[in-house]
Amino acid sequence: MKKFILLSLLLFASIISASETKTPQKIMSAFKIERATILVDGKLDEVVWKKIPIDEFTQKDPKEGSPATQRTEVWIAYDEEYLYVAAKLYDTNPELIDIALSRRDNYFTSDWFGFYVDPFNDKKTGNFFGINAAGTMVDGVLFNDSWDDSSWDGVWEGKTTINGEGWSLEMRIPFSQLRFKESDKMVWGINFNREIKRNGESSYYVMVPKKESGFVSRFASLEGLNGIKPKQRLEILPYIVQKAQYLVHDKNDPFYKSNQYKTTIGADFKIGLSSSLNIDATINPDFGQVEVDPAVINLSAFESYFEEKRPFFIEGSNSFYFGIGGANNNWGFNFSWPELFYSRRIGRSPQGPTSSADYVRYPTETNILGAAKLTGKLDDVTTLGAVSAVTERTFVTLYNNGFQTTEQVEPLTHYGILRTKREFNDGRQSLGFMMTTVNRQLNTASLESRLAKNAFTFGLDGYTFLDEDKVYVLSGALAGSYIHGTEKFVQRLQKRPYRYFQRPDATYMPYDSTLTSLEGWYGRVTLNKQQGNFYINAALGAASPGFEHNDLGFQWMADRINSHLVLGYRWFEPDGVFRNKSVYLAHARSYNFEGNLIQNFIWLRSNLQFENYWQLGVNGFYAFEAMNPSATRGGPLIKNPEGYSLAADVTTDSRKQIIFETSISYERDLLKGEATSFGFNVQWKPNSQIDFTVGPQYQINNDTRQWVGNFADVSATNTYGTRYVFANIDQKTLSANIRLNWTFTPTLSLQLFLQPLLAVGNYYNYKEIAKPKTLDLNEYGKNGSTIVYDNTSGEYIIDPDGASSAKSFSVGNPNFNFKSLRGNAVLRWEAMPGSILYFVWSHDQQNYDDAGEFIFGRDLRNLWKSEGNDVFMVKFSYWLDM
């Protein structure tokens, strides 16, 4: 109750002090021209650019509110098909203009011009188009008023020129690339931005002060767009891919040659149902990645998360976010909005088991027969997004004694997603709905035991601003799930690591072997202060034990009741030492549905930017003693000890030729477990075309309770007839991300990526849990117990008490020495707008010699001598605007 009263007082005080400066909205006129009267070359010699421009830009950095130090003039024109943007960026020192090049969509510190547009004039969404003085182009979408996503790739043109007065540019953007409500007289929202690298200056036509919130909602009005009748949108993007694979293989493998060379042909389609609603469809899609996933070492029970890199799913992905909306900050603290749609589930590797065989041809992915996506707006305030995809029935081919047989490892599956949101009261409130469905045609016992026949999720989310100035926003979401399958499947489902219904001490929803379905729910409400120096964020949420959305989403938790409170203060004004600074203090607690405290910590973070543009961040974390429901992998609760961590990171001036970043962290708990991490990243730009980055990282983890295995023993009465075995682990991980970007022209670039990784783990001091809900451990080799290593079998033979009451058991040596080298090279040429030719080489090799021993030179030599896999690919996609 005291915490609630304190929170209420803080909220009331900050509402009283909050205010928002109201300024008249700026208005800009667009000039209508005859078709094809502008040559996009960046020279501004057309007649229309002689008209009166807008030129009132205001600094956001370094001197907020002051006029821009250099003059910028901007014009907008249009014809029946295109929107044109021209700008003349004066510079009193044109020789100092930054002309660095980079690949498309790679934003970096440079001299930039940005164009922001809200075609719906809905004050929430839009697009941005940027170009730097050398001609590098970036684009993306705007959403949630102040957020952006650069994954969208529009088809447009932009050119720049540099002269004695500064530099100038022209953009030509097809109306077909923008979504808007067609009418005879339209009013759009617009804004412009200019960045000058050498003095860290960023200025805007409409500048939103740092103390205030929002971005799209503050845009100026663009008038004069009259009589636009864009043609019906129909884009076709056919592609062809030729792949050659040279893999590590057995020379007698009968499947290798037939799978070595592969040609794929397909096409993507974009169809405009209206100027505001589009369908994306694909036939025999190429969902192969150009970029490789990083190698990871995961010793937890939970799945590793990988970012989506396939264009079909990336574009418009922000339309399917759930819960996120209204608030400009979302804090998680081990409880966040659920990711109901994780697109990498579609086309994932087959999940079925196979019989033993001499040789196996197991597909690395599931072919997608077809997919379609509908996105856009039904009206000014209602957005719609839908995806439907079908993956084919997939088979593995087995070869035994000259005979080939097949087994099904993935069923015919349909994936469906529906997402809609509607805003009310000029965007002050919003209500959304989302539903996902997975339906499989299961017809084998092995797949029925592993996969759901039907899986559904559904949810409502929304937000409301609590005051006239939109200082405070309340966001919330409620979701439910239902999943159906065989008894064997639901048994497996109940044993997932974020649930562990089989825990012998479970009192809420214990394991039930007869279930054929599982239901659950999720709910969360958050409060966020959007602007001002003082900051507050608070949340309360819960996910029931049966909540399950992993068939089409990504799930890492259930059975949790969570709350957090974040208080902070931000200084936005320079004070002679710092340009800006902030400090945040948070407290979070979590319980499971049995009432056990499973998380309780205090977190502190401070960010400082110095006058010389260096940045310093400092973290502090203290965790109090709590229960751990997953450490024993389905066994009873045990305690997590108190512990703390400290971390710091430093970044130098991003305007310089060499940029250095470094981070260091240290953590320790009361069981003397320790972890240290140190890394740095050096970015070097030797000239305007080359950008080289190397980022090594070294981690040492000395955990005193690394899980080894669970072993049944009826004599283990204190731990429910099972011995839960742990060990100390001495783990060392050395890795590096090495990148080279060589940009020859704005449309031709070469990217090189290399990731070496050495990870070694040595297990020792084996022990077992002595008593649930405690920190007590029984170490083997003490108090009558014995442990002996058998070199022949590679196993530890353990007698838990040296008496006849307990049976001996063996534990395989879990030591590891994983060495990996992954890399790729991508030559990308945009032959014409929207049409791209790729040459790709991917390589990976691994080595596992000398488990448990880390010797850098030897391990590196072993890795280098290992055989590797090489994949070469040529891909060409051609954009047809019908």
Side-chain angles (χ1 to χ4, degrees):
M1 187 65 183
K2 291 181 179 179
K3 289 184 179 179
F4 177 77
I5 295 173
L6 175 61
L7 177 60
S8 301
L9 290 173
L10 290 171
L11 177 60
F12 178 76
S14 53
I15 289 178
I16 295 297
S17 63
S19 64
E20 181 179 338
T21 302
K22 301 293 185 181
T23 57
Q25 188 179 44
K26 293 182 176 181
I27 298 175
M28 182 180 183
S29 295
F31 306 111
K32 189 169 185 178
I33 60 175
E34 295 299 323
R35 184 176 178 181
T37 58
I38 294 179
L39 175 65
V40 180
D41 56 9
K43 295 182 179 180
L44 307 193
D45 48 12
E46 286 81 10
V47 174
V48 67
W49 307 140
K50 308 303 180 186
K51 296 179 179 289
I52 298 175
I54 60 100
D55 60 357
E56 300 175 356
F57 278 65
T58 305
Q59 289 187 59
K60 191 164 190 173
D61 286 303
K63 297 181 179 179
E64 182 178 323
S66 298
T69 61
Q70 304 288 343
R71 186 181 179 190
T72 303
E73 297 177 341
V74 185
W75 300 261
I76 289 183
Y78 69 98
D79 58 26
E80 293 180 357
E81 293 188 38
Y82 299 99
L83 185 73
Y84 299 89
V85 180
K88 192 169 186 178
L89 300 95
Y90 294 89
D91 200 311
T92 53
N93 299 103
E95 71 280 1
L96 299 180
I97 295 172
D98 184 73
I99 55 171
L101 273 172
S102 185
R103 59 183 174 85
R104 175 158 178 178
D105 287 327
N106 181 38
Y107 174 82
F108 60 102
T109 303
S110 183
D111 283 34
W112 287 94
F113 175 82
F115 168 52
Y116 305 88
V117 58
D118 172 13
F120 273 108
N121 203 21
D122 62 6
K123 314 297 184 184
K124 292 286 184 181
T125 64
N127 301 79
F128 68 87
F129 304 86
I131 191 168
N132 84 332
T136 298
M137 298 163 56
V138 299
D139 55 20
V141 297
L142 305 168
F143 65 104
N144 198 32
D145 195 3
S146 58
W147 293 0
D148 62 80
D149 182 353
S150 61
S151 61
W152 175 76
D153 286 326
V155 180
W156 59 286
E157 297 175 74
K159 298 292 183 181
T160 62
T161 61
I162 296 177
N163 52 54
E165 294 182 303
W167 62 290
S168 59
L169 65 94
E170 288 175 309
M171 297 179 180
R172 179 165 62 189
I173 304 167
F175 283 115
S176 65
Q177 300 298 298
L178 303 173
R179 302 183 185 184
F180 52 91
K181 184 179 180 181
E182 186 180 333
S183 64
D184 291 336
K185 292 185 178 182
M186 295 187 294
V187 177
W188 291 6
I190 52 103
N191 202 358
F192 306 99
N193 163 244
R194 180 179 180 180
E195 297 180 11
I196 303 174
K197 175 181 176 178
R198 63 181 181 270
N199 57 4
E201 182 176 337
S202 179
S203 59
Y204 290 83
Y205 181 51
V206 180
M207 191 277 293
V208 180
K210 298 174 187 175
K211 286 185 179 180
E212 300 181 13
S213 64
F215 182 61
V216 181
S217 57
R218 310 295 190 93
F219 281 6
S221 292
L222 177 65
E223 299 180 344
L225 296 174
N226 302 329
I228 298 174
K229 300 293 182 182
K231 65 180 182 180
Q232 182 73 26
R233 184 180 186 184
L234 174 57
E235 299 176 21
I236 304 176
L237 193 70
Y239 78 87
I240 181 170
V241 175
Q242 180 60 58
K243 183 182 290 186
Q245 302 182 113
Y246 302 92
L247 311 178
V248 178
H249 66 284
D250 186 324
K251 64 180 180 178
N252 296 317
D253 188 341
F255 302 121
Y256 178 71
K257 287 187 178 181
S258 61
N259 198 41
Q260 192 172 2
Y261 302 99
K262 184 178 181 180
T263 303
T264 307
I265 298 175
D268 295 340
F269 303 86
K270 289 182 181 292
I271 304 169
L273 300 181
S274 67
S275 60
S276 62
L277 203 60
N278 286 344
I279 287 181
D280 293 78
T282 184
I283 297 175
N284 194 27
D286 171 39
F287 288 145
Q289 296 176 195
V290 173
E291 296 184 35
V292 297
D293 288 323
V296 296
I297 296 296
N298 185 354
L299 299 182
S300 75
F302 297 90
E303 177 185 6
S304 295
Y305 185 93
F306 293 101
E307 297 290 340
E308 179 61 85
K309 298 176 182 178
R310 300 172 295 179
F312 179 85
F313 290 115
I314 288 176
E315 185 175 333
S317 59
N318 59 282
S319 300
F320 300 95
Y321 294 157
F322 180 75
I324 298 174
N328 58 16
N329 249 320
N330 287 277
W331 298 74
F333 294 117
N334 287 330
F335 194 99
S336 59
W337 305 112
E339 187 168 354
L340 298 182
F341 178 34
Y342 178 49
S343 56
R344 289 193 66 146
R345 297 289 185 228
I346 303 176
R348 68 189 299 178
S349 299
Q351 301 168 76
T354 66
S355 304
S356 60
D358 296 335
Y359 297 98
V360 178
R361 180 167 62 190
Y362 199 102
T364 57
E365 59 191 30
T366 304
N367 289 333
I368 301 174
L369 296 176
K373 179 169 56 178
L374 174 67
T375 54
K377 286 204 167 190
L378 298 178
D379 53 41
D380 291 349
V381 295
T382 307
T383 61
L384 177 67
V387 173
S388 180
V390 177
T391 59
E392 72 175 356
R393 184 176 289 111
T394 305
F395 294 86
V396 63
T397 306
L398 309 175
Y399 183 89
N400 276 305
N401 300 319
F403 295 96
Q404 291 188 15
T405 57
T406 61
E407 292 180 355
Q408 187 177 331
V409 290
E410 187 72 20
L412 182 71
T413 306
H414 173 260
Y415 299 89
I417 306 98
L418 175 65
R419 174 66 161 147
T420 183
K421 290 186 290 185
R422 185 174 179 84
E423 294 180 351
F424 306 91
N425 191 20
D426 294 326
R428 294 184 180 276
Q429 289 88 33
S430 174
L431 183 64
F433 171 78
M434 187 168 183
M435 182 179 74
T436 72
T437 174
V438 179
N439 309 102
R440 298 185 174 96
Q441 195 177 83
L442 300 173
N443 50 19
T444 68
S446 61
L447 291 178
E448 287 179 341
S449 67
R450 289 178 174 265
L451 300 174
K453 181 175 179 58
N454 301 294
F456 305 96
T457 67
F458 47 90
L460 296 173
D461 65 336
Y463 63 84
T464 181
F465 286 95
L466 301 179
D467 59 304
E468 184 67 23
D469 292 334
K470 295 185 178 182
V471 178
Y472 286 88
V473 62
L474 194 67
S475 303
L478 181 65
S481 66
Y482 175 82
I483 193 164
H484 169 69
T486 63
E487 288 185 357
K488 287 186 177 180
F489 166 71
V490 179
Q491 290 168 14
R492 184 186 297 269
L493 195 64
Q494 293 179 78
K495 296 178 181 179
R496 287 188 173 169
Y498 42 81
R499 188 170 291 117
Y500 284 143
F501 281 3
Q502 76 273 29
R503 273 183 30 234
D505 57 349
T507 60
Y508 189 94
M509 287 189 72
Y511 179 75
D512 184 345
S513 62
T514 65
L515 294 179
T516 57
S517 64
L518 192 66
E519 307 86 28
W521 57 269
Y522 166 99
R524 190 176 191 229
V525 61
T526 68
L527 172 72
N528 189 69
K529 186 173 185 290
Q530 303 283 88
Q531 52 186 293
N533 297 100
F534 172 72
Y535 180 77
I536 186 171
N537 181 278
L540 177 65
S544 75
F547 185 57
E548 174 67 33
H549 62 277
N550 210 49
D551 276 68
L552 191 47
F554 186 91
Q555 184 166 354
W556 54 272
M557 65 92 184
D559 191 17
R560 187 169 301 187
I561 303 169
N562 171 272
S563 66
H564 77 245
L565 174 65
V566 183
L567 301 176
Y569 201 88
R570 290 88 58 93
W571 294 263
F572 300 108
E573 304 81 9
D575 59 10
V577 178
F578 302 106
R579 290 191 174 274
N580 57 71
K581 52 187 181 289
S582 62
V583 60
Y584 299 93
L585 177 65
H587 175 232
R589 296 172 71 94
S590 293
Y591 295 85
N592 64 10
F593 273 60
E594 296 173 344
N596 297 300
L597 179 66
I598 58 175
Q599 182 187 60
N600 183 18
F601 67 80
I602 296 173
W603 175 87
L604 177 69
R605 170 75 181 181
S606 180
N607 298 298
L608 308 168
Q609 185 183 48
F610 297 88
E611 288 283 356
N612 64 356
Y613 292 94
W614 283 45
Q615 298 184 67
L616 170 65
V618 179
N619 275 346
F621 177 90
Y622 193 90
F624 299 94
E625 193 176 82
M627 294 297 173
N628 189 326
S630 62
T632 54
R633 305 294 203 271
L637 294 166
I638 61 173
K639 275 189 178 180
N640 272 346
E642 293 187 38
Y644 66 89
S645 69
L646 299 170
D649 53 86
V650 177
T651 305
T652 63
D653 187 350
S654 64
R655 302 172 299 167
K656 302 300 183 181
Q657 188 178 35
I658 298 178
I659 305 168
F660 183 79
E661 301 175 54
T662 186
S663 62
I664 186 170
S665 66
Y666 174 78
E667 59 183 270
R668 181 182 174 88
D669 62 43
L670 293 187
L671 292 180
K672 300 182 180 179
E674 293 181 308
T676 305
S677 175
F678 172 75
F680 66 88
N681 191 80
V682 178
Q683 184 179 11
W684 177 41
K685 303 175 182 177
N687 58 41
S688 62
Q689 294 178 294
I690 296 176
D691 184 341
F692 177 72
T693 303
V694 58
Q697 186 174 50
Y698 184 55
Q699 297 172 300
I700 302 175
N701 177 34
N702 298 116
D703 194 348
T704 58
R705 281 195 327 189
Q706 176 61 48
W707 180 79
V708 174
N710 299 340
F711 304 89
D713 186 346
V714 293
S715 66
T717 55
N718 288 338
T719 52
Y720 303 96
T722 300
R723 299 193 182 275
Y724 300 95
V725 180
F726 291 76
N728 288 50
I729 185 174
D730 179 9
Q731 182 182 352
K732 297 180 176 67
T733 304
L734 177 64
S735 63
N737 289 329
I738 303 168
R739 294 184 183 272
L740 172 65
N741 291 328
W742 192 344
T743 309
F744 307 103
T745 72
T747 58
L748 180 62
S749 64
L750 174 66
Q751 300 168 245
L752 300 175
F753 170 74
L754 191 67
Q755 187 213 28
L757 182 144
L758 308 176
V760 180
N762 179 37
Y763 290 72
Y764 64 97
N765 193 21
Y766 289 78
K767 64 201 77 175
E768 66 179 40
I769 300 301
K771 186 178 180 181
K773 297 185 178 182
T774 71
L775 298 173
D776 299 341
L777 300 165
N778 292 330
E779 295 185 15
Y780 297 137
K782 296 182 178 180
N783 301 320
S785 66
T786 61
I787 179 170
V788 179
Y789 184 67
D790 186 338
N791 286 303
T792 303
S793 64
E795 294 179 327
Y796 289 94
I797 310 301
I798 299 173
D799 185 338
D801 59 7
S804 59
S805 60
K807 65 178 181 180
S808 297
F809 61 95
S810 61
V811 176
N813 188 348
N815 288 353
F816 61 88
N817 188 331
F818 174 71
K819 299 171 283 294
S820 167
L821 180 64
R822 291 191 177 190
N824 72 343
V826 180
L827 182 67
R828 181 187 188 275
W829 177 41
E830 189 171 0
M832 57 192 73
S835 302
I836 303 174
L837 176 65
Y838 289 100
F839 292 90
V840 181
W841 165 61
S842 296
H843 175 84
D844 74 271
Q845 61 192 78
Q846 299 175 357
N847 182 273
Y848 300 88
D849 294 341
D850 303 302
E853 299 178 357
F854 181 71
I855 301 177
F856 175 73
R858 179 207 60 197
D859 290 342
L860 200 60
R861 287 191 298 272
N862 288 344
L863 175 60
W864 187 254
K865 293 176 182 178
S866 300
E867 291 186 87
N869 300 314
D870 292 285
V871 178
F872 297 89
M873 183 180 74
V874 179
K875 176 182 178 181
F876 180 64
S877 57
Y878 185 73
W879 182 67
L880 295 169
D881 186 7
M882 308 298 287

